[in-house]
């Protein structure tokens, strides 16, 4: 899944917006972002345009999940 985020400035306040896209719609998400950037270049108060993704079939949470009792992390291995 892709999510496009952007803000508009309305009455001197930033208003957040988001638009979801399916995992098969990366091109559509990028075209949507380019349309937002075109609006920004035209002088419209559109800011902070960004996109992030999350794979729906991910097996576990990002990062280290569980370590065993023998795990001994050290910053420097000597």
């Amino acid at each position: 899944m892709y999510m496009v985020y952007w803000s508009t400035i309305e009455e001197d306040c930033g208003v957040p917006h988001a638009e979801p896209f399916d995992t098969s719609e990366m091109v559509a998400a990028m075209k949507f972002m380019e349309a937002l950037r075109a609006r920004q270049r035209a002088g419209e108060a559109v800011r902070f345009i960004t996109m992030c993704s999350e794979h729906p079939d991910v097996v576990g949470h990002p990062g280290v999940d569980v370590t065993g009792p023998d795990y001994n992390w050290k910053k420097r291995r000597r």
Side-chain angles (χ1 to χ4, degrees), residues 1-4 19-33 51-54 56:
M1 165 173 232
Y2 298 99
M3 186 71 78
V4 175
E19 183 72 29
F21 292 87
D22 189 59
T23 53
S24 63
E25 299 178 308
M26 184 174 82
V27 172
M30 295 184 79
K31 286 182 180 180
F32 185 79
M33 289 177 63
M51 179 175 76
C52 65
S53 64
E54 181 178 79

Side-chain angles (χ1 to χ4, degrees), residues 23 29-30 35 41 45 56 59 62 73:
T23 53
M30 295 184 79
R41 286 190 299 273
V59 175
W73 182 86

